[in-house]
Amino acid sequence: MTNLTDLTLADARDGLQRRAFSAVELTQAHLDAMAAARGLNAFLVETPERALAMARASDARIASGDGRPLEGLPLGIKDLFCTEGVITTAGSNILKGFEPAYESAVSGNLWRDGAVMLGKLNLDEFAMGSSNETSAFGPVVSPWRRPGSDAPLVPGGSSGGSAAAVAARLCLAATATDTGGSIRQPAAFTGTVGIKPTYGRCSRWGTVAFASSLDQAGPIARTVRDAAIMLRSMAGPDARDTTCADLPVPDYEAAIGRGVRGLKIGIPKEYRVAGMPDEIERLWQQGAAWLKAAGAEIVEISLPHTKYALPAYYIVAPAEASSNLARYDGVRYGLRVEGRDIVDMYERSRAAGFGREVKRRIMIGTYVLSAGYYDAYYLRAQKIRTLIKRDFETVYADGIDAVLTPATPSSAFGIGEKGSGDPVEMYLNDIFTVTVNMAGLPGIAVPGGLDAGGLPLGLQLIGRPFDEETLFAASQVIEDAAGRIALPEAWWGR
Amino acid sequence: MSVDQTTVRRIARLARIAVTDEDVPHLQGELNAILAFVEQLGEVDVEGVEPMTSVTPMAMKKRQDGVTDGGYPDKIVRNAPATEDDFFLVPKVVE
């Protein structure tokens, strides 16, 4: 029998239904893999007792023919989702030891559908980062290495723990969140599939807030089918989040076999950026060729405001973050450092609790919202956001069904390699993904192949609002054509 | 636009983050790098463009104005660093 941790989520589901193995066996195999992989630092908290209790309950359900959609499937949860009675830190010292008294809507939906929680996954602090190096609990090491090298690489971020754990087969799939690319960039860096659904598809209730008009939850998984199964359970209406859409969730798994015949796929010329490696350009053309061979029509399109998305994001996201993170004041929860008076206590607590990147973003956000600068920065950025969204609305009105782009401007880089001097160097990682958040659209990253250095590269498909089904159908075509990437053999923990 | 060290201290004060003398030059450089990067937004013609206020077109959900939750103060204060009788404790604010 193959190793249980090498199964896809779909195969594990089918195996449980056939009683080829039990949920307890499947869960124990993952707990063992996690224990052997602690060197990757992907999990911040392991919850083995809870996992085994959930698995035993799932086995009882399966035995009585009462199985739910994710019955007995072990998952990892990004530590941005509040989990009742289980430490939730958002990767920050300011929330060290925080034990929520409630369950996030998204994780609650997974438990409702029978999934098993293995633990909480590492991330950039408050999801602010593109390499998982800003976590207060240390960076995540990617399971990928360049051939012949043992130099540690980043798994991408901010959902670095999620991507690394899925690629290293420590969990069948994981939850993640994406504010500017935090699902799609780490998925691209680790040869996994990650989808950021349309803004409003998943409830944000109980997810630690970064930038509320941009944040969306989504899954990272090893196949397009697995991502489709995950999203169906994660998504859905929720009265507790006023921006969560009151729309029924389609059966995404049923959409993956639809193909792309007759679809119009747009290739935006503005994504051909200066200094982009030839291999990325080649992969992009290859992706278009695969879709064309499957019957899609490839159309050159223009999204003229693309280049302004990233700078506008670095006004909007920090502005919202400065407001959202005002709640960490050392009074109601989290770290407190005593001071001379209450303001001194706030200032010391926040200085001690937040890391450098978070402080930087709070300060930029505070500045662009401050008197005299609001119109020049924040209001202008929100107007540019309207223009970015309008670019997409125009091409969709012209009949484009989805847009194909590279997922990232490069493959994974080394830990410590980027952004130490100039924060903007790190921000450029999200150049292809951030437009999607600014426009509230769905976007998926799917592996396209390996670069000359043996590291995975991803393609991104951007869809119409609430049309994740077309993205699953088109990315299944790419997955079939590219062939599933062979994930790295376990060198960790040996 | 760029910020000087006095402005960095003023922003830190507004953001309620204590900064040391050593932090200020670093922060000034980093903030100015970000501000230089966003400068290009000035070249976009935004005349007559409405700022985005809703990501996807949707009506704000409404409900009856009534109490739908509560009654568990112990849970509310459970994670607080300092409490007494289900109250949050802070340093003296009013003399």
Side-chain angles (χ1 to χ4, degrees), chain A residues 221-465:
Chain A
R222 289 196 287 272
T223 67
V224 173
R225 180 184 294 272
D226 289 0
I229 296 169
M230 282 288 288
L231 183 60
R232 190 185 187 191
S233 283
M234 292 168 71
D238 182 7
R240 298 168 299 181
D241 171 5
T242 56
T243 63
C244 185
D246 282 327
L247 291 173
V249 182
D251 181 353
Y252 295 125
E253 195 181 2
I256 61 172
R258 277 187 194 175
V260 292
R261 188 159 302 281
L263 294 187
K264 277 191 184 175
I265 305 291
I267 307 289
K269 59 174 193 246
E270 290 81 5
Y271 280 63
R272 200 158 281 122
V273 297
M276 187 163 83
D278 287 345
E279 326 183 71
I280 303 268
E281 171 71 37
R282 275 202 300 277
L283 170 76
W284 192 10
Q285 287 175 9
Q286 176 67 73
W290 285 327
L291 293 171
K292 192 175 177 192
E297 183 187 344
I298 305 299
V299 185
E300 175 108 338
I301 59 166
S302 175
L303 299 167
H305 295 91
T306 297
K307 71 178 269 208
Y308 301 111
L310 194 63
Y313 173 87
Y314 273 98
I315 291 174
V316 174
E320 294 186 15
S322 73
S323 170
N324 271 326
L325 272 61
R327 71 190 68 177
Y328 303 102
D329 57 4
V331 175
R332 289 158 297 165
Y333 34 71
L335 182 77
R336 173 160 173 165
V337 179
E338 298 297 343
R340 294 184 304 278
D341 53 30
I342 191 163
V343 172
D344 195 44
M345 187 269 284
Y346 293 153
E347 291 189 345
R348 286 169 188 254
S349 299
R350 290 163 64 82
F354 292 136
R356 287 172 61 110
E357 181 62 28
V358 173
K359 285 181 193 168
R360 252 196 309 264
R361 297 210 198 180
I362 291 175
M363 288 180 68
I364 280 286
T366 303
Y367 180 67
V368 300
L369 291 177
S370 65
Y373 298 99
Y374 179 89
D375 286 7
Y377 285 114
Y378 186 71
L379 195 64
R380 172 169 281 268
Q382 289 288 50
K383 288 178 179 177
I384 289 168
R385 207 172 160 188
T386 298
L387 294 172
I388 292 162
K389 188 164 182 240
R390 210 176 272 171
D391 284 353
F392 282 99
E393 286 167 353
T394 304
V395 299
Y396 290 144
D398 288 345
I400 296 296
D401 294 290
V403 174
L404 179 74
T405 77
T408 56
S410 74
S411 59
F413 45 89
I415 289 180
E417 216 169 81
K418 274 194 186 178
S420 55
D422 179 358
V424 176
E425 186 189 17
M426 188 65 84
Y427 299 170
L428 290 172
N429 265 289
D430 294 334
I431 193 158
F432 297 141
T433 48
V434 79
T435 48
V436 177
N437 302 77
M438 293 297 269
L441 299 171
I444 191 167
V446 59
L450 303 180
D451 71 1
L455 297 179
L457 293 172
L459 285 163
Q460 174 179 236
L461 282 153
I462 305 167
R464 296 166 180 263

Side-chain angles (χ1 to χ4, degrees), chain A residues 35-281:
Chain A
R38 290 197 182 117
L40 299 181
N41 202 26
F43 278 88
L44 292 177
V45 179
E46 297 177 9
T47 53
E49 292 86 9
R50 182 176 294 220
L52 289 168
M54 290 170 105
R56 279 190 293 273
S58 286
D59 280 331
R61 283 251 190 181
I62 293 167
S64 63
D66 207 10
R68 297 161 290 179
L70 299 175
E71 197 68 64
L73 300 173
L75 305 177
I77 302 296
K78 184 179 184 179
D79 202 23
L80 204 63
F81 295 90
C82 286
T83 40
E84 190 174 355
V86 175
I87 302 289
T88 300
T89 66
S92 181
N93 275 323
I94 212 154
L95 276 175
K96 207 175 195 171
F98 176 63
E99 203 180 283
Y102 46 84
E103 188 76 29
S104 80
V106 162
S107 54
N109 288 347
L110 295 172
W111 317 142
R112 172 205 66 202
D113 282 354
V116 168
M117 176 164 78
L118 293 169
K120 304 297 292 289
L121 292 159
N122 204 346
L123 69 161
D124 279 299
E125 185 176 4
F126 285 105
M128 297 178 191
S130 303
S131 64
N132 216 115
E133 293 169 287
T134 74
S135 169
F137 309 108
V140 173
V141 177
S142 176
W144 287 87
R145 286 170 165 177
R146 293 191 183 98
S149 163
D150 58 6
L153 299 177
V154 303
S158 69
S159 309
S162 304
V166 171
R169 283 88 77 204
L170 312 183
C171 51
L172 291 171
T175 65
T177 62
D178 190 315
T179 304
S182 284
I183 290 175
R184 292 159 288 156
Q185 185 256 16
F189 276 13
T190 56
T192 54
V193 178
I195 180 166
K196 181 204 91 73
T198 312
Y199 183 79
R201 188 56 103 176
C202 291
S203 170
R204 290 181 295 106
W205 194 85
T207 307
V208 176
F210 162 12
S212 302
S213 78
L214 300 159
D215 297 344
Q216 255 301 289
I220 291 180
R222 289 196 287 272
T223 67
V224 173
R225 180 184 294 272
D226 289 0
I229 296 169
M230 282 288 288
L231 183 60
R232 190 185 187 191
S233 283
M234 292 168 71
D238 182 7
R240 298 168 299 181
D241 171 5
T242 56
T243 63
C244 185
D246 282 327
L247 291 173
V249 182
D251 181 353
Y252 295 125
E253 195 181 2
I256 61 172
R258 277 187 194 175
V260 292
R261 188 159 302 281
L263 294 187
K264 277 191 184 175
I265 305 291
I267 307 289
K269 59 174 193 246
E270 290 81 5
Y271 280 63
R272 200 158 281 122
V273 297
M276 187 163 83
D278 287 345
E279 326 183 71
I280 303 268
E281 171 71 37

Side-chain angles (χ1 to χ4, degrees), chain B residues 4-95:
Chain B
D4 59 18
Q5 298 204 352
T6 310
T7 308
V8 171
R9 289 181 193 280
R10 186 175 64 82
I11 302 169
R13 180 76 180 172
L14 283 172
R16 296 287 185 264
I17 295 172
V19 290
T20 64
D21 289 344
E22 299 92 82
D23 293 335
V24 174
H26 286 288
L27 281 166
Q28 186 193 11
E30 293 160 7
L31 298 186
N32 281 333
I34 298 169
L35 292 172
F37 176 62
V38 304
E39 194 114 304
Q40 54 185 301
L41 296 177
E43 69 197 47
V44 183
D45 180 6
V46 294
E47 192 60 39
V49 178
E50 286 294 315
M52 185 189 274
T53 49
S54 179
V55 188
T56 46
M58 56 170 65
M60 177 69 109
K61 289 180 199 171
K62 299 180 189 72
R63 64 168 174 83
Q64 286 294 320
D65 183 14
V67 177
T68 58
D69 199 2
Y72 39 82
D74 51 322
K75 275 186 161 184
I76 302 293
V77 301
R78 192 170 79 192
N79 280 287
T83 60
E84 199 176 295
D85 300 334
D86 293 340
F87 286 93
F88 297 114
L89 287 187
V90 295
K92 197 172 193 176
V93 178
V94 181
E95 287 299 326

